[in-house]
Amino acid sequence: MSNERAKIQLVEAFRDGEIERRDFLRGALGLGMSVGTIGLVLSACGTEEKVAPPPPPATPTAPAPEPELGPIEGELHIYNWSDYIAEDTVKLFEEEFKVKVTYDTYESNEEMIAKLQLGGGGYDLVCPSGYAVTILVKLGLVDKLYKKHLPNLSNLAPIFAKTASDPDGAYTVPWQWGITGIAYRKDLIAAAPDSWAVFQDAANKGKVTMMDDMRDNLGAWLKFRGKSLNSVDPADLAAAKADAMLSKPVLKSYISAPVKGQLVTGDVWAAQLWNGDTMQAKAENANIEFAVPKEGAAIWCDAMMVPKGSKNPRAAHEFLNFILRPEVGAKISDFTGYGSPNAQATAKMATPVAYPSDEQMKSLEYQQDLAAGTAVWDRIWTEIKSG
Ligand code: N2P
């Protein structure tokens, strides 16, 4: 037998377990096999001494089960934007789940964040916009969700299942999405507004309003000058402040959702407002229309979260799973006038709101957390309001 053939037979015998490691080593050295080759064979056959065999598992290797919540509690405390739910949603939930719900409302993310920061409210659910989701997570004011109790999450449209502010979908259940534009009375205003400049036009003095909301107000003036509504650049913000100050003598007031009544009566001709609230007002007065200014506007998606310290987490999860039902979600969005992030609900809506096309998205921008820039925005907004 040739030396090469003998080496091959030796390796095969070792590989197949026919000879021991000690016999392989002795034979290999006898046949003149290099130390490097011997090492390769030993490690390939899994007997390299340096490689310790894996210890036997102490416990079964199945993944740890997802933690569970306890039984459903008897109450639930919700803190949400005003006019942001169908009239019967809470009642139907209370009846089916035997839970007593308290439902408080707010008018801006900042109002809600401040309340949570002060430790007030005792809420089990809140509904921040995307940028405020980032802030609440960063401040440690919210808990992760127990997906096990949210099987209806599968009804979400894929673009809303994971969002920039909650990339793993660990904290949020998307609620509604919408756009901040201009609601106007087509029978009262001289021409349909197509620009944020409508709020600086002296012809509208005392008949127009902008939202009492730092992000939406300064965001609009940033877009007006072709800037990002997330800018923290001092020059951009100085220009936005100057535009806001120019609009101030024209504005009747800074007011958000409650302006609807004034649009309906005609006391206000044009108001910075969200598309859904505009549709709610239009249901009472058909002369109300909505416009997205040509300079661009904010698009946002609000989402439900469970504040840290919630005393009714199981009831909160049951409520979230309830609103994720297609028929419940469809009723909410048909009432609010906003888009539903729930694909199955959208299919059931009487007046579905289509997600903007790629073309429309070119002029829309999602609001993001301003991080350290928030303090600068806060200061400018205070100066505008008090100036
Ligand atoms: C309130 C709607 C609020 C949406 N009616 C703002 N993100």
Side-chain angles (χ1 to χ4, degrees), residues 8 32 37 41 61 72 81 93 100 128 130 174 182 192 202 204-205 208 212 224 230 253 265 273 281 321 341 361 365:
I8 291 168
T37 308
V41 173
T61 51
I72 190 162
W81 299 81
F93 176 77
K100 175 85 196 91
I182 302 173
N204 298 324
K205 192 172 164 58
V208 292
D212 191 7
F224 184 54
N230 295 308
S253 60
T265 58
L273 194 59
N321 202 49
M361 275 308 287
E365 194 179 356

Side-chain angles (χ1 to χ4, degrees), residues 214 217-218 221 237-248 251 254 377-387:
M214 169 178 95
N217 188 292
L218 279 173
W221 293 122
L237 288 171
K241 180 183 173 187
D243 277 315
M245 292 310 286
L246 270 181
S247 79
K248 230 185 140 177
L251 298 182
Y254 291 107
W377 275 61
D378 274 339
R379 180 176 45 75
I380 293 176
W381 180 232
T382 306
E383 288 165 2
I384 293 167
K385 294 271 304 273
S386 60

Side-chain angles (χ1 to χ4, degrees), residues 182-196 198 201 204 269-270 287 289-294:
I182 302 173
Y184 64 97
R185 283 285 299 259
K186 65 179 176 199
D187 55 332
L188 299 178
I189 199 154
D194 69 345
S195 162
W196 294 113
V198 71
D201 185 344
N204 298 324
W269 299 345
N287 284 313
E289 300 291 349
F290 182 75
V292 177
K294 59 177 186 257

